[in-house]
Amino acid sequence: NAGVMQNPRHLVRRRGQEARLRCSPMKGHSHVYWYRQLPEEGLKFMVYLQKENIIDESGMPKERFSAEFPKEGPSILRIQQVVRGDSAAYFCASSPADSRNQPQHFGDGTRLSIL
Amino acid sequence: AQKVTQAQTEISVVEKEDVTLDCVYETRDTTYYLFWYKQPPSGELVFLIRRNSFDEQNEISGRYSWNFQKSTSSFNFTITASQVVDSAVYFCAIREGGSSNTGKLIFGQGTTLQVKP
């Protein structure tokens, strides 16, 4: 399966813990986008990364959230000191180098539940 | 700023009925791309169609068709002869195409379609 791979599919954390969500883009894709879907809502853009660079983080909460896309390995969305309001589905999408006119292919998402 | 409005929160139809999902968008850019995605109960996002702003030709794919009208800033989606498997949340999205644009998608709130047998 050469699609966008996200893991884990489900993640449960207690308040105050850290959550790490992983995303491996499609083969040949160098651009990664993270989106968050709160319950009963649409998807909201969080951050856009290329290898080793954050290009647009205008949708990221100012505190506790960070993202990276290292030269080797998957992209990581990290949430520190999680709170109940972080419970959501987090989707990763990837696209080829020229992303503006290419559809973004999404992973199956990570459902984060905060106890 | 870009915005996508899907005014229909929920739609319920009986199998074999036709159904149209509305999508109205706002953008100041002259070049942009419109998308529809399907999110079935299993939760994944399935890409359905992309349409760029300079191609107003309508498109048909099996039971699915899309009506793009720049004059009304709408990109509506019709399912003909709906089936129970069409039950899902459908999202319309826009992406601007300017050289400074990063390619992020702006999604509507989604329309939940329930097709009853």
Side-chain angles (χ1 to χ4, degrees):
Chain A
N1 183 352
V4 178
M5 303 299 294
Q6 288 189 250
N7 68 83
R9 189 74 192 270
H10 299 276
L11 182 61
V12 179
R13 285 287 178 267
R14 296 189 179 279
R15 280 178 295 172
Q17 291 184 322
E18 178 180 287
R20 280 182 176 243
L21 289 60
R22 294 175 187 77
C23 169
S24 296
M26 283 182 72
K27 190 174 182 181
H29 286 192
S30 57
H31 296 206
V32 165
Y33 301 78
W34 284 94
Y35 295 83
R36 177 165 67 173
Q37 184 179 27
L38 294 169
E40 309 297 329
E41 292 190 15
L43 285 82
K44 295 285 195 300
F45 167 78
M46 298 182 75
V47 63
Y48 162 46
L49 310 102
Q50 296 176 18
K51 283 284 187 182
E52 301 184 279
N53 286 304
I54 296 175
I55 308 302
D56 180 355
E57 56 182 347
S58 59
M60 286 280 268
K62 293 288 184 276
E63 298 176 346
R64 302 187 298 108
F65 284 71
S66 62
E68 62 176 9
F69 189 16
K71 188 176 180 181
E72 301 291 337
S75 175
I76 306 286
L77 180 67
R78 182 181 177 210
I79 312 172
Q80 295 177 289
Q81 299 174 334
V82 295
V83 301
R84 287 250 170 88
D86 297 331
S87 295
Y90 292 82
F91 287 92
C92 167
S94 73
S95 64
D98 182 7
S99 60
R100 290 189 296 276
N101 62 352
Q102 297 293 327
Q104 290 176 10
H105 297 270
F106 283 82
D108 288 346
T110 294
R111 273 90 188 148
L112 176 64
S113 299
I114 308 302
L115 302 179
Chain B
Q2 298 167 293
K3 184 180 177 182
V4 175
T5 301
Q6 295 179 255
Q8 304 150 307
T9 306
E10 291 184 24
I11 301 176
S12 182
V13 299
V14 177
E15 211 171 15
K16 296 185 183 175
E17 285 185 18
D18 298 347
V19 59
T20 295
L21 310 181
D22 297 333
C23 172
V24 174
Y25 61 90
E26 296 175 29
T27 180
R28 279 179 271 183
D29 221 355
T30 54
T31 302
Y32 50 90
Y33 303 88
L34 298 165
F35 301 81
W36 276 94
Y37 285 87
K38 174 182 178 180
Q39 187 175 40
S42 49
E44 71 272 23
L45 279 166
V46 179
F47 166 74
L48 295 178
I49 190 172
R50 178 198 67 192
R51 178 49 49 97
N52 62 47
S53 54
F54 33 92
D55 181 4
E56 286 195 69
Q57 196 170 19
N58 291 327
E59 184 157 338
I60 298 174
S61 176
R63 296 184 296 108
Y64 294 172
S65 62
W66 291 269
N67 182 7
F68 175 31
Q69 295 204 350
K70 266 178 120 168
S71 59
T72 55
S73 297
S74 65
F75 186 41
N76 297 337
F77 172 31
T78 297
I79 302 174
T80 304
S82 59
Q83 300 175 0
V84 173
V85 293
D86 296 327
S87 298
V89 182
Y90 290 86
F91 291 100
C92 181
I94 189 171
R95 184 169 76 206
E96 287 178 341
S99 58
S100 62
N101 184 264
T102 61
K104 65 188 178 191
L105 292 170
I106 305 298
F107 284 85
Q109 288 293 95
T111 296
T112 300
L113 174 64
Q114 183 181 35
V115 181
K116 298 178 181 176

